[in-house]
Amino acid sequence: MNCPDCGEPAEATDRYCENCGGSLQLRRTPSGGPIGRVGGAGCVGCGGAVSSDGYCETCGRAQPTGRDRMEFDLELVAGVSDRGRSRARNEDSMAFGVVGPVDAPQAVVTVVCDGVGSTERADSASQAAVDAAIEAIVDALLSGSSPRSATDDGAAAAYESVGELARPNSPDTAPSCTLVSAVVTQSEITVGWIGDSRAYWVSSSPDVPSRRLTTDDTLVAQLVAAGMDEAEASASLNAHALARWVGADAEQAPPHVVVIQPEAPGRLLLCSDGLWNYLPDAESLAARVSDAEPLKVAAELTSIANELGGHDNITVVVIPWEGRVP
Amino acid sequence: MTDFQVEVYQNEYLPQGSAEVNAIVTVTASGNATPAASAGADAAEVIIIDTSGSMQHPATKLAAAKRATAAAIDALRDGVNFAVVSGSERADLVYPPRLGMRPATALSREEAKRAVNALRADGGTAMGEWLLLARELFATQTSPLRHAILLTDGQNVHERPKKLERILEGVTGQFVCDCRGVGTDWEVKELRKISTALLGTVDIVAEPADLEADFRAMTSNAMGKEVADVSLRLWTPQGATVKFVKQVEPTLTDLTDRRVESAARSGDYPTGAWGSESRDYHVCVQVNPANVGDKMLAARVSLVSATGDVLGKGQVLAVWTDDTALSTKINPEVAHYTGQAELASAIEEGLEAQRAGQIESATAKLGRAVKLAHESGHEDTAKLLAKVVEVVDPVHGTIRLKREVATVDAMTLESRSQVTKRVGRKSEED
Ligand SMILES: [Zn+2]
Ligand SMILES: [Zn+2]
């Protein structure tokens, strides 16, 4: 094989290129966030071509820059993170990567974190969390750990790095965030989460239903789990407040983990509540997922959330899954 | 080489749901310090003088028109192609002897002046015919800068208005034409129709003796032009409509209906020829309102040459905000020129009402005009208004109509009603 960065020949088992030091086993979003947009991605409003001065050639919309609109595309996985329409900043973050040699990818790893809005530097918290989590998960996978144990390592690393942000301030004002991660291999999908960012399975087969894979770490979800009627639970005070989160003021515990082996092809979708608040139900969400390539699907869903109000930051990561190799 | 600079003045902040975007676009062309150095063959000039029978009454009128034409011929740059037309109910070529133009030389100037001197006044008035001959003359030339002067002393009585309109449609864009009325027997509206269609100016020269200086000034101004047929190009986003595009300085000219589609969502508005000068345009665009926090390019303004080169660019923006401190701020440029446009219509409507004997309406309109002229510091117009009405209180626009108004004063005010005052500058003397 050859190094994907510099083109020099490399051993397939090497982790790093002898020539340029680049990773031979991982292609991922840049650390610190994929700031800005993917070239030629089109207008965030109407999908039209964007002029060099940053305005849409069709609808005139100014195109967001920096953290306001982050896009990245690795083909096997792609995502969009958008400020939305009412928040002053984008406090969501996403990181994803493809593990294994370029010509023989072995796993797709994705982390989405949503900075808790009431905390300071929530954007730093979510960014630190996704970077720490993806690095830990990839390291674990490359050193032979199972996806489940790698998922635990990712959450632990996120706790640690977000916890460091609390210093020198008191833990009361510590920045914090949610976390949802996924390790997708040819045989199974492992999802881990803390908080209310979600994962959905969007089925491509009419025989297999689409479904939500995560259960929110909120009071309402806990009440429902305890047997209370959903309407009744939602009505109780602070029902949607987070019961668990990642941060210095949080009780550290392993993430919830679910492992699925879908019976038919489909797409895994990780998102923050900026999307699912508008389309909470798996079937209604799946109905809005087009057959386009992952980046386009992520952009389309982001546009839908913005059309419906864009009340919160919106992050959507899409991973197509073809199914087990026979 | 002429450089064009485009500046946009606006308050881009709009309240939620608001759709109308207003901006003043200032275009400044700075060219050769010595335009006379450029090749004369780039320019062509046609001088049209009225030789209808009335030009003989008094006889000084025709004599002054001849002197003025001679002065214009002398003011031509060497090498500029020119011709002289005399107009009555038909158009006659005075110079050169055969259809075409001659480059200005000592000899051709002498020949032309001799031909002009031999003119006699006789017959009626059909300005459309004059313009048709001018177009034919320009068609013999390749010069990009094409300018005409049209002088008349009367109304277009030997041609139906419909016919003149049809002819104007045919000659529009072929040349620029400045129109002058000598005396007080002509009609401002009629001449303005011609000057507006041909992107020129209109003015009164009440005294025949003043024609010479005026013709010389007009010709020198035409000789100062360096770039012909410049268009203001407006790109607007999908779903937007251009409510209007007006030149608002130095004079008011509505260009809205002159749009020629140039590309998808893009239209060109003619601005004529440019020398070293500055002009202001008021652009008003209706867009689909976006959400609070969204920013939109409401219009891309560019200046385009006849060959399609982009000479200058500017942006008109819209940003929706719920901060009323931002959205209620009035842009001084937009406010000033909105006022200047209102001033012009108050004068025109006021004079119209006065002519029709509608005292109340005339008093209200002209009073409003006095107030607006005072507020905007448009001293030239204020002085002209003071000749037509008795100003009691310019601050509140309190006036009394004069019992006797000299025709020349009313016509001067009407002729110059669309001459605006530049924002933020002291009025310049003529
Ligand atoms: Zn390399
Ligand atoms: Zn667009």
Side-chain angles (χ1 to χ4, degrees), chain B residues 49-66 86-90 92 94 115-125 153:
Chain B
I49 48 170
D50 188 339
T51 54
S52 63
S54 59
M55 284 295 284
Q56 206 68 256
H57 308 288
T60 49
K61 236 190 314 191
L62 185 63
K66 288 176 179 177
S86 76
S88 56
E89 76 278 4
R90 56 172 214 271
D92 293 300
V94 179
V116 168
N117 261 326
L119 286 172
R120 298 266 176 276
D122 190 21
T125 306
D153 76 329

Side-chain angles (χ1 to χ4, degrees), chain A residues 53 55 57-58 60 62 85, chain B residues 235 238 291 295 297 300 315:
Chain A
D53 60 11
Y55 295 98
E57 296 277 14
T58 308
R85 286 187 166 161
Chain B
W235 173 94
Q238 194 164 58
N291 296 281
K295 183 176 178 180
L297 184 61
R300 199 178 263 131
Q315 291 175 340

Side-chain angles (χ1 to χ4, degrees), chain A residues 46 51-53 55-63 83-86 306, chain B residues 235-239 265 290-298 300 315 317:
Chain A
C46 73
S51 154
S52 58
D53 60 11
Y55 295 98
C56 175
E57 296 277 14
T58 308
C59 76
R61 266 277 296 275
Q63 302 300 304
R83 181 170 60 88
R85 286 187 166 161
S86 3
N306 270 323
Chain B
W235 173 94
T236 48
Q238 194 164 58
R265 297 180 287 281
N291 296 281
V292 167
D294 277 351
K295 183 176 178 180
M296 181 194 276
L297 184 61
R300 199 178 263 131
Q315 291 175 340
L317 301 175

Side-chain angles (χ1 to χ4, degrees), chain B residues 10 33 38 61 80 95 105 124 144 199 271 302 331 397-398 401 416:
Chain B
Q10 64 162 149
S38 59
K61 236 190 314 191
V80 167
Y95 185 85
T105 62
L199 301 171
T271 68
S302 44
N331 176 270
T398 318
L401 294 185
R416 297 183 188 164

Side-chain angles (χ1 to χ4, degrees), chain A residues 3-8 17-22 24:
Chain A
C3 168
D5 291 333
C6 69
E8 285 295 309
C17 170
E18 294 287 338
N19 182 48
C20 71
L24 297 173

Side-chain angles (χ1 to χ4, degrees), chain A residues 67-71 79-83 90 92-94 302 313-316:
Chain A
R67 282 192 65 84
D68 283 356
R69 176 80 176 195
M70 298 185 278
E71 295 174 354
V80 170
S81 182
D82 189 281
R83 181 170 60 88
N90 183 6
D92 284 2
S93 292
M94 61 181 181
T302 304
N313 305 144
I314 306 149
T315 300
V316 188

